[in-house]
């Protein structure tokens, strides 16, 4: 089961967006992005992990640089 390790939240005129650093079943990292409703954060995180679109690795590592 994939697990979100960190999430960055962004808000704009069209709503809330989350980008998550996810550890997948193989133990490697990937990044996922999704719009969310912003009502319950834990449900939003689950949505990003399960149905989020792939986010480019280079951009993900730059976004989460210095964070464990």
């Amino acid at each position: 089961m994939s697990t979100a390790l960190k999430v960055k939240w962004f808000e704009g005129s069209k709503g809330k967006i989350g980008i998550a650093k996810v550890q997948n079943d193989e133990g490697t990292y990937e990044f996922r992005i999704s719009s969310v409703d912003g009502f319950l954060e834990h449900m939003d995180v689950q949505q990003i992990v399960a149905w989020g679109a792939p986010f480019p690795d280079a951009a993900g590592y730059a976004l989460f640089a210095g964070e464990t």
Side-chain angles (χ1 to χ4, degrees):
M1 183 163 104
S2 297
T3 305
L5 303 175
K6 296 276 185 179
V7 179
K8 298 274 187 173
W9 301 106
F10 300 91
E11 297 209 28
S13 61
K14 299 286 185 180
K16 194 169 192 177
I17 301 287
I19 302 172
K21 180 179 183 181
V22 177
Q23 185 172 20
N24 62 29
D25 297 337
E26 293 81 33
T28 59
Y29 301 110
E30 59 186 34
F31 301 92
R32 308 214 39 78
I33 184 170
S34 181
S35 61
V36 295
D37 64 16
F39 185 65
L40 294 171
E41 186 172 318
H42 71 279
M43 297 295 288
D44 292 343
V45 171
Q46 289 177 353
Q47 177 180 326
I48 296 166
V49 171
W51 298 292
F55 189 73
D57 285 343
Y61 282 112
L63 183 64
F64 290 94
E67 298 182 25
T68 56

